[in-house]
Amino acid sequence: MIRYIRILGAALGGLIGLVLATTGQGLFAGSQYAGALLAVWVVAWLIVGFAILPYLTIVPATWLISRVEELSTAEFVTAVIGLLIGLVMGLLLGFPLGGLSEPWGTWLPLGVSILFGLGMLGLTVAKRADLLIAAEAIGLIRRPTEGGAGAASGEPRIVVDTSAIIDGRIAEIVESGFIYGTLVIPRFVLDELQHIADSSDALRRNRGRRGLEILNRMQKEPGTPVEIVEDDVPDIVEVDAKLVALARARSRVILTNDFNLNRVAELQGVRVMNINSLANAVKPAVLPGEELRVRVIQEGKEAGQGVGFLDDGTMIVIEGGARHIDHDLDVAVTRVLQTVAGRMIFAQPRLD
């Protein structure tokens, strides 16, 4: 673009130089070297036009566009309104000033319009918050209420994975109010969910139908909006890769409980909200030496070990607990191990 502007500038510069040189009796008329001087004069104007025109057109326009892009919607609207009000005020004041003698009758109305236009533009942008409050007070505008349409377009926007919907715990998390923002369900995730619900395998079919029920339940929850989007990444086939690409383009946040997707997303700079990590974080803390009462329900992997579970599903491995299967046992915690799959507690029978 700049190349064409420079070519146009060179042409305009040469034309201006030629017109100036030939106006009236001619700039170099009567000179012995009139032809050479004219050629040098035109070339000089060609160079000036080639060098200067971009700074008179492209550079100011680029700066102005970048400044406008930085404005918020409220700033832009108030700026336009302020500019229009200022120009109207300048026009009204310019009518009587236009009756003055020249050159005042020509330049004063123009100067007053520019002054009022720019002054009102700056004033309305600076006081936009107060102006919005005043407009709301007199009923000209209405701000979106919490949970209404405005909340549906708010930030953050969290892209949801199929595994998180099928898991089911997301519904309770949403109802508890711990998720702030809009849950974004891509169309390809909904299609995958429907495909699972139509599976010939009974287990997969039940999981898919449960996921659709969970999604319908979340859509009825007013606190956290759920938005179905048509965005797709046609050049990517795998759903997980599509999710990561969509999250990078939209909000850089994914909600999932898929371990592999968790790692891939983190490697690409996408924040992951993992439901399993949240579940582990809210489990009660258990410290070595603490005493618990557990029902031993099965044998462990090692000889003599017994296995029990706390109410939150945490597994407890009890040394020497195999002989107490189907019995409640008082145990003392020896160590707590945190793994990627969850938390494991090792204990031994309490000595009376």
Side-chain angles (χ1 to χ4, degrees):
M1 182 65 180
I2 293 182
R3 179 189 307 172
Y4 299 116
I5 293 296
R6 289 189 182 279
I7 293 174
L8 178 61
L12 290 176
L15 182 61
I16 292 172
L18 188 61
V19 170
L20 291 176
T22 56
T23 300
Q25 296 181 354
L27 188 62
F28 305 107
S31 175
Q32 183 179 357
Y33 305 102
L37 292 174
L38 179 61
V40 172
W41 174 261
V42 172
V43 169
W45 274 97
L46 283 171
I47 296 173
V48 169
F50 182 86
I52 290 180
L53 190 60
Y55 294 97
L56 299 177
T57 55
I58 295 295
V59 173
T62 303
W63 176 86
L64 181 61
I65 291 172
S66 65
R67 295 294 296 175
V68 171
E69 288 177 345
E70 292 175 0
L71 294 175
S72 65
T73 303
E75 291 173 334
F76 180 76
V77 171
T78 52
V80 172
I81 294 175
L83 179 61
L84 292 176
I85 294 174
L87 290 176
V88 170
M89 294 173 62
L91 180 63
L92 294 176
L93 188 58
F95 278 125
L97 293 177
L100 297 176
S101 60
E102 294 297 335
W104 305 108
T106 300
W107 295 106
L108 275 180
L110 179 61
V112 167
S113 297
I114 294 175
L115 177 64
F116 274 89
L118 295 180
M120 288 301 297
L121 186 151
L123 180 62
T124 51
V125 170
K127 303 295 290 183
R128 62 186 180 278
D130 297 332
L131 293 174
L132 289 174
I133 293 174
E136 184 182 6
I138 62 177
L140 291 179
I141 62 172
R142 178 181 296 179
R143 296 189 182 184
T145 57
E146 186 142 348
S153 59
E155 294 293 337
R157 304 174 65 82
I158 305 167
V159 181
V160 183
D161 177 29
T162 311
S163 63
I165 301 174
I166 292 177
D167 178 89
R169 290 176 291 179
I170 184 176
E172 282 76 15
I173 297 173
V174 167
E175 291 171 357
S176 68
F178 277 96
I179 292 183
Y180 170 76
T182 301
L183 296 180
V184 176
I185 314 293
R187 175 63 63 178
F188 57 83
V189 167
L190 193 60
D191 292 341
E192 184 184 33
L193 201 58
Q194 184 175 359
H195 179 72
I196 295 173
D198 294 336
S199 173
S200 58
D201 182 83
L203 180 59
R204 282 177 55 84
R205 184 168 62 250
N206 290 336
R207 294 180 64 196
R209 290 177 178 176
R210 181 193 181 196
L212 292 175
E213 292 175 359
I214 291 294
L215 186 56
N216 183 57
R217 175 179 165 187
M218 289 192 301
Q219 284 184 312
K220 296 178 180 178
E221 178 64 31
T224 303
V226 177
E227 180 183 353
I228 308 296
V229 298
E230 302 294 335
D231 299 24
D232 197 0
V233 189
D235 54 333
I236 300 178
V237 178
E238 295 183 356
V239 173
D240 287 358
K242 285 177 179 283
L243 279 167
V244 174
L246 181 60
R248 292 182 64 186
R250 274 185 168 267
S251 62
R252 310 193 75 85
V253 183
I254 287 180
L255 178 64
T256 183
N257 63 354
D258 187 319
F259 176 76
N260 293 326
L261 176 59
N262 194 138
R263 289 300 174 88
V264 171
E266 287 179 342
L267 288 174
Q268 298 189 49
V270 176
R271 177 188 171 194
V272 178
M273 299 173 64
N274 194 303
I275 294 179
N276 290 332
S277 299
L278 175 62
N280 290 330
V282 298
K283 287 180 179 179
V286 178
L287 302 176
E290 188 172 346
E291 295 182 354
L292 303 171
R293 187 167 183 81
V294 183
R295 187 172 185 83
V296 184
I297 62 172
Q298 65 186 46
E299 293 185 2
K301 292 184 178 181
E302 303 296 333
Q305 286 183 341
V307 174
F309 293 90
L310 296 180
D311 293 338
D312 60 12
T314 303
M315 182 178 5
I316 300 182
V317 179
I318 306 165
E319 299 295 338
R323 62 180 182 272
H324 298 286
I325 292 178
D326 293 332
H327 290 83
D328 292 334
L329 185 64
D330 293 324
V331 299
V333 177
T334 56
R335 64 191 177 100
V336 180
L337 180 62
Q338 184 69 46
T339 68
V340 292
R343 184 175 56 177
M344 291 181 59
I345 298 175
F346 293 87
Q348 59 184 11
R350 190 182 66 182
L351 299 176
D352 294 330

